[in-house]
Amino acid sequence: MKRFFVILATTLSLCSCSVLGGINWNAEGLVSAAGKAATAASISDDMVVELSRQTIAQMDAQSVIDHGAYEQRLSRVLSGLKDLDGLPLNFKVYKTKEINAFACGDGSIRVYSGLMDVMDDDELTAIIGHELGHVRHKDTKRAIKNAYVASAARDILASAGSYGAMASALLGDMGEALVSAQFSQAQEYKADEHGCQFAIDRGKNPYSMYNALEKLMQLSDGGNGSVIAHMFADHPKTEKRMERMKKMADNYTASKN
Ligand SMILES: [Zn+2]
């Protein structure tokens, strides 16, 4: 199956010893909390934030982070964007050929250099707006919760590794959930609308979201499916999404004339 990666992650800083809700969030606390977490409903918002922070911290540590031209371009494209509904945002570029971006519920946004290579500034803005939509709509929060529960439900906790190794495996599972999140069609539609509006609000081409979707579909046709993920799972759905984004841009343009 062709998969497209656009991952939006919020940045989280590792806090190995904070106390949240009576849980000591070092590696041991992370694992023993997982052992007790039977359902998504039992996971508090504070836990989600801390899980997100630790997940991103691990991903950052395992990635090559650009501090050159990519970082400069991203900060120019997103200049002035400091928070989302009061949630402080932070951005980093992962240097990789993969075409992806993701956001995490703590305000961390991670953009892959492979995505920046194929998108112009307007399209990049729309895609980041799409990912911010997933954060604003709490989609990423649910993804983290579900991944944590699924991971805890497996026998990973019964393995003979150290707490550190088990915690690392848990965080790896949650990172994977962010990178290849499978959101529902309704969630994607809402995130697309958010991306389109975000681009418009920042003075970009109203067709930026539409153009970005079209470009990703063309790239997948060119045999690049292995490096593209998440938002663009299959063509009928992508075409439907493009249709909706064209209509939204048409309506906006008509309202300005
Ligand atoms: Zn999405």
Side-chain angles (χ1 to χ4, degrees), residues 95-106:
K95 267 193 122 165
T96 163
K97 285 193 189 329
E98 282 184 34
I99 297 173
N100 211 346
F102 65 98
C104 196
D106 72 329

Side-chain angles (χ1 to χ4, degrees), residues 178-198:
L178 286 174
V179 170
S180 58
Q182 298 291 310
F183 296 121
S184 72
Q185 192 168 20
Q187 287 174 320
E188 295 301 352
Y189 282 169
K190 277 185 72 183
D192 284 346
E193 285 166 16
H194 193 276
C196 180
Q197 190 61 51
F198 182 74

Side-chain angles (χ1 to χ4, degrees), residues 6 8 127 130-131 134 139 181 183-184 187-189 191-192 230-232 241:
V6 174
L8 178 61
I127 287 174
H130 173 103
E131 299 300 341
H134 283 310
D139 300 338
F183 296 121
S184 72
Q187 287 174 320
E188 295 301 352
Y189 282 169
D192 284 346
H230 162 50
M231 326 183 6
F232 316 97
R241 290 169 61 188

Side-chain angles (χ1 to χ4, degrees), residues 8-47:
L8 178 61
T10 27
T11 325
L12 309 165
S13 66
L14 179 61
C15 179
S16 62
C17 60
S18 68
V19 176
L20 281 171
I23 296 165
N24 184 5
W25 282 93
N26 54 22
E28 190 172 344
L30 180 67
V31 173
S32 64
K36 292 170 196 156
T39 66
S42 69
I43 302 173
S44 69
D45 285 357
D46 282 349
M47 283 177 72

Side-chain angles (χ1 to χ4, degrees), residues 168-232:
S168 179
L170 270 172
L171 294 174
D173 281 351
M174 287 183 285
E176 176 61 24
L178 286 174
V179 170
S180 58
Q182 298 291 310
F183 296 121
S184 72
Q185 192 168 20
Q187 287 174 320
E188 295 301 352
Y189 282 169
K190 277 185 72 183
D192 284 346
E193 285 166 16
H194 193 276
C196 180
Q197 190 61 51
F198 182 74
I200 289 169
D201 290 346
R202 291 184 66 81
K204 307 296 186 188
N205 180 350
Y207 291 90
S208 299
M209 192 72 240
Y210 170 82
N211 290 338
L213 288 167
E214 183 178 45
K215 200 172 265 185
L216 285 161
M217 198 166 79
Q218 286 169 352
L219 283 166
S220 80
D221 283 343
N224 294 299
S226 62
V227 295
I228 313 176
H230 162 50
M231 326 183 6
F232 316 97

